Amino acid sequence: MTGPGDQLAQAIEADEMEQAEAERRAAATLEEEGAVKAWLKRIEEAREFDKGAREGYAKDRTYCQEQANADVYDVRVPIAGTYVGILTTFLYARDPEVSVELAEAVSPRIKQEAKAFATTLEIVVGRLWKKGKLKAAADPLVRSGLSVAIGWLKAAWHRETGSNPALQQEIAGLRSSLDAISQLQSALAEGMVGDDSAQRAELEQRLLQAEDEAERIIFNALCIDFVRAEDIQVATECACLQQYVDSPWIAQRLFMPMDKAKATYPDAADVLGSATAYFRIPGKAADGAGFGGAARGEQADAFSKGPAGATDTSKACVCVWEVWNKETGHVITLAEGCPRYLRQPFKPEQRTTRFYPFFSWAVIWNDGARHPQSLVDRSRSLLDEYNRTRTNYKTHRRRAIPKTGFDRGALEPTDAELLEGAVSNEMVGLNLNGQRPDQVVFPISYNQIDPALYDTQQIRAELEMIWGVQEALSSSIQTAKTATEADIQQQGTESRIGYARDSLDEMLSELAVYTAELAVSPNGLTQDEAANWAGADALWFNVPEPEMLDMVVQVNIRAGSSGKPATALRQQQWSILLPQLQQSAIQIGQMRGSSPADIANCLEQLAVETVKRAGDTSIDPYSFIPQAPAPVAPGLPGGAAVDPALAAGAPAGEPPIDPAMLDPAAMTPPAITPV
């Protein structure tokens, strides 16, 4: 038994422990508030450092939207916006084709299984892009890169689960049965009924299994979103944004309605009230005078801070910053004006070799510059010159309207008023009192128009040189061209925009590797999910570390596969090569003693490539290619099919290689002993 002294000591000890816990929480809160304040200050300083770049974004967009210098030029031709639309269709017309090849480290013993895995991965990555709507995000990415110099994508794995109503009913039934058994056991204690322990144990196991399966997967795939250039902030330690993957941190800004923010971050709902309120800027024409001179960085934003003392918060939004800290591997979520984390820093569930989920694309990089240069910025003076020339031409034409004078003293006042008020093509009766008409009415000379002074052909030629757009695509053809001349121009266009296409292919290749690493991670796709996309024969496995994927396959895209289909000249060249390739495949196969199936596979790929080069994506070549029948064992009744292991050439009774043998550790090439 404890006496009054012991109880008092326990109470004092409990109070001390509670006070110590309160002090610890207060210290943790102060530490968190200090860290949040430091991060917000770091972001604000970086935003101020890149303010000039955002001013360029705002100015470039006005040229693409035909709003630049609206108070200076009466005529503004949207050349920049037209060029952006033309090049976008050339650079990204469709999702690229994924190419997965075997790595050199794959041993010959499992090469066949590794090929099957590579084929499955090709299909899976392509389907993930299709489901994630890559084209819907890549199209504005290319437009942003052509307009404001840089475009950004964010690709992240999203896994969402939901309750299964049928299982929820089963769980309720199991719990009712357990309650009934509990009552029976109470009666057992009183010696009234028999023992139901075995039945209870079975029901408990079934209940646990049902609860594990109650959460079904609703969505488990890649999400791809476009991010505006001004909503990405890279650390100032990164000297050039071309090396953004080596930056210490990258932050993404997004605006969220207050109600949605409280629902998304319930742990911070009590402190979100102190967050800075932002409101969407209504759409309006840009200030021509402002953009003709110096633009402000805030003009590139779609939201602005509300006025001081604003009481209408129904449309208020919160500025949320999601900071990816590469140095610690954590993701930090902040809100401007909020002293606490919206949620505690966490590490992404799926690891990748690049860490950042952001992908950027830019056309022009200048040596020593942190930000890329836009095509609009390079051609801004020429665009102004074009608008100035067209405006002057309009002014000259307005002033060069033919005019006719008359001798007011030679006419009656009534006739003079009739002549002054006459409109175009009106017949006016005059009393000339016997005078000659040329003595009363006479033409007035005006400054004639010299078309050479307002010829914009040289300006267009220089703009086409900068943008890499051929004349046939951007303007009406003044001189008829032959098919050969048009193809030469097409080749010139492809050569000029080749550097832009190469950089875009490089970015898409990085996205393909990133997608593959997420898909094969432990929290990625399962064998059943991969089989649903790639077929029942799909071979799939997950790797614990992303670096291990390179030991099995090399993921890439086929160069230029995202652009427009091949031109007529390339199709003509392919029609010349196709018969030679078909004949070579047959001859080489016969000389090497290849099986007819291998030769048929080569001819099948040639047929598929021919359909691809035709550019008609509605044609499925496999629907016209006959497939090999299932092998039939001779002498078996009913034509029973042969064991797949025997059909693959494996010894009778020996099973095919198990997918578990695709362990990347087993694919490491043997060490070479130096002589």
Side-chain angles (χ1 to χ4, degrees):
M1 297 181 61
T2 58
D6 296 335
Q7 294 178 356
L8 179 61
Q10 292 177 359
I12 295 175
E13 184 179 359
D15 291 341
E16 291 178 350
M17 292 178 62
E18 184 177 354
Q19 184 177 0
E21 180 65 19
E23 292 176 354
R24 187 192 64 79
R25 288 197 298 266
T29 300
L30 291 176
E31 183 179 358
E32 179 180 339
E33 292 178 354
V36 170
K37 185 177 180 180
W39 268 114
L40 291 175
K41 181 180 179 181
R42 189 180 306 178
I43 294 174
E44 183 180 0
E45 292 175 350
R47 297 281 293 176
E48 184 66 25
F49 185 80
D50 291 333
K51 184 178 180 179
R54 298 196 305 279
E55 293 174 354
Y57 300 162
K59 200 168 186 179
D60 290 341
R61 284 174 180 151
T62 59
Y63 278 87
C64 293
Q65 298 168 2
E66 195 190 344
Q67 296 176 351
N69 302 310
D71 59 340
V72 178
Y73 305 125
D74 292 338
V75 179
R76 300 181 303 278
V77 183
I79 296 179
T82 302
Y83 283 176
V84 168
I86 292 173
L87 290 180
T88 300
T89 59
F90 265 84
L91 292 173
Y92 200 97
R94 53 188 175 179
D95 289 340
E97 299 177 8
V98 183
S99 174
V100 181
E101 299 178 355
L102 298 185
E104 297 180 356
V106 177
S107 63
R109 183 173 60 89
I110 58 173
K111 183 166 292 186
Q112 191 65 27
E113 283 70 22
K115 286 183 179 179
F117 171 72
T119 303
T120 302
L121 189 59
E122 275 189 7
I123 300 174
V124 166
V125 173
R127 291 294 302 272
L128 285 172
W129 283 355
K130 196 75 174 178
K131 189 173 183 179
K133 298 181 180 180
L134 172 60
K135 192 176 189 304
D139 184 84
L141 163 87
V142 175
R143 293 183 183 273
S144 177
L146 295 173
S147 303
V148 301
I150 192 169
W152 290 90
L153 281 182
K154 182 181 180 182
W157 196 270
H158 182 68
R159 186 181 185 94
E160 183 178 352
T161 59
S163 60
N164 190 329
L167 284 176
Q168 294 294 344
Q169 294 180 0
E170 182 180 353
I171 290 174
L174 291 173
R175 286 177 177 169
S176 300
S177 300
L178 287 175
D179 292 340
I181 291 179
S182 297
Q183 295 178 0
L184 291 175
Q185 288 183 341
S186 300
L188 175 64
E190 300 175 1
M192 297 174 60
V193 296
D195 190 359
D196 289 327
S197 300
Q199 184 180 0
R200 178 180 179 85
E202 181 181 356
L203 289 176
E204 287 179 346
Q205 293 176 1
R206 289 175 55 190
L207 178 61
L208 292 175
Q209 181 181 2
E211 289 177 345
D212 292 338
E213 298 176 357
E215 295 294 327
R216 60 186 179 91
I217 297 176
I218 297 178
F219 186 88
N220 186 37
L222 187 71
C223 293
I224 305 175
D225 296 317
F226 166 72
V227 183
R228 292 167 61 97
E230 61 272 16
D231 291 338
I232 289 289
Q233 182 59 55
V234 182
T236 56
E237 291 85 347
C238 181
C240 179
L241 296 189
Q242 195 172 12
Q243 287 80 39
Y244 68 97
V245 291
D246 299 326
S247 175
W249 57 269
I250 297 179
Q252 177 196 0
R253 180 182 65 172
L254 55 109
F255 294 93
M256 190 178 298
M258 181 65 73
D259 296 340
K260 184 178 179 180
K262 291 182 178 180
T264 306
Y265 309 106
D267 295 339
D270 56 336
V271 295
L272 273 172
S274 61
T276 305
Y278 280 81
F279 297 88
R280 179 174 288 277
I281 301 175
K284 62 178 180 178
D287 183 4
F291 285 101
R296 301 187 305 274
E298 293 77 7
Q299 288 175 308
D301 295 337
F303 290 81
S304 64
K305 295 181 180 180
T311 58
D312 184 13
T313 59
S314 59
K315 298 181 180 179
C317 294
V318 180
C319 180
V320 179
W321 284 97
E322 187 179 85
V323 184
W324 289 69
N325 188 1
K326 187 177 181 180
E327 294 181 338
T328 63
H330 286 81
V331 181
I332 304 169
T333 310
L334 315 164
E336 290 189 9
C338 189
R340 304 280 297 277
Y341 292 125
L342 296 186
R343 60 180 173 183
Q344 290 301 315
F346 65 94
K347 288 190 175 183
E349 294 182 357
Q350 295 160 300
R351 290 184 60 253
T352 60
T353 54
R354 60 178 287 120
F355 180 70
Y356 292 123
F358 305 107
F359 298 84
S360 72
W361 176 72
V363 183
I364 303 171
W365 292 98
N366 293 325
D367 181 47
R370 170 175 164 87
H371 294 271
Q373 186 180 15
S374 67
L375 290 168
V376 177
D377 185 34
R378 280 196 170 184
S379 56
R380 202 174 286 163
S381 59
L382 284 174
L383 295 172
D384 289 338
E385 177 66 17
Y386 195 99
N387 292 334
R388 186 181 301 110
T389 301
R390 298 297 298 170
T391 299
N392 293 338
Y393 184 47
K394 176 185 177 181
T395 303
H396 195 160
R397 291 178 60 190
R398 185 175 64 249
R399 294 178 178 176
I401 298 176
K403 302 179 181 65
T404 303
F406 63 93
D407 187 358
R408 182 184 295 272
L411 296 175
E412 296 294 335
T414 305
D415 292 343
E417 292 177 358
L418 289 175
L419 192 59
E420 288 178 346
V423 296
S424 177
N425 296 325
E426 181 180 354
M427 298 181 65
V428 182
L430 302 175
N431 183 10
L432 300 181
N433 296 322
Q435 302 182 72
R436 292 169 52 188
D438 58 350
Q439 293 178 347
V440 179
V441 181
F442 52 88
I444 298 177
S445 62
Y446 58 89
N447 188 12
Q448 298 294 325
I449 296 177
D450 184 2
L453 295 176
Y454 304 103
D455 185 14
T456 58
Q457 183 176 359
Q458 184 62 32
I459 301 176
R460 291 200 309 269
E462 293 173 351
L463 285 171
E464 291 169 2
M465 178 188 65
I466 295 174
W467 287 77
V469 178
Q470 66 173 353
E471 177 187 359
L473 296 175
S474 60
S475 62
S476 60
I477 302 176
Q478 303 296 333
T479 304
K481 292 179 172 60
T482 64
T484 303
E485 291 174 338
D487 284 330
I488 291 175
Q489 279 197 346
Q490 177 69 24
Q491 292 177 5
T493 299
E494 293 182 358
S495 298
R496 286 193 293 266
I497 67 175
Y499 62 91
R501 181 169 291 172
D502 291 342
S503 60
L504 183 60
D505 287 346
E506 183 179 354
M507 186 275 290
L508 292 173
S509 296
E510 294 177 359
L511 179 61
V513 175
Y514 180 79
T515 305
E517 291 177 351
L518 291 176
V520 302
S521 65
N523 295 323
L525 296 178
T526 62
Q527 170 68 31
D528 294 338
E529 291 172 331
N532 290 336
W533 287 355
D537 297 333
L539 181 58
W540 188 258
F541 63 90
N542 300 99
V543 295
E545 298 294 336
E547 296 83 359
M548 301 174 69
L549 183 63
D550 290 339
M551 303 174 63
V552 184
V553 293
Q554 298 293 330
V555 183
N556 210 323
I557 68 166
R558 291 181 175 88
S561 59
S562 62
K564 271 196 171 183
T567 61
L569 180 61
R570 289 188 174 183
Q571 294 175 5
Q572 183 180 1
Q573 294 174 347
W574 179 251
S575 65
I576 297 174
L577 291 175
L578 179 60
Q580 300 178 4
L581 293 174
Q582 289 175 339
Q583 184 178 2
S584 299
I586 296 174
Q587 290 180 351
I588 294 174
Q590 292 176 351
M591 297 177 65
R592 289 182 174 176
S594 302
S595 64
D598 292 338
I599 299 177
N601 291 335
C602 295
L603 297 178
E604 179 182 4
Q605 293 303 315
L606 287 175
V608 173
E609 184 65 24
T610 302
V611 174
K612 287 182 179 179
R613 288 178 176 266
D616 190 351
T617 57
S618 62
I619 300 177
D620 182 13
Y622 293 100
S623 60
F624 306 101
I625 299 175
Q627 301 298 322
V632 178
L636 291 181
V642 181
D643 188 351
L646 295 176
E654 182 178 343
I657 298 177
D658 190 271
M661 298 179 64
L662 289 176
D663 184 5
M667 299 180 184
T668 306
I672 300 177
T673 305
V675 180

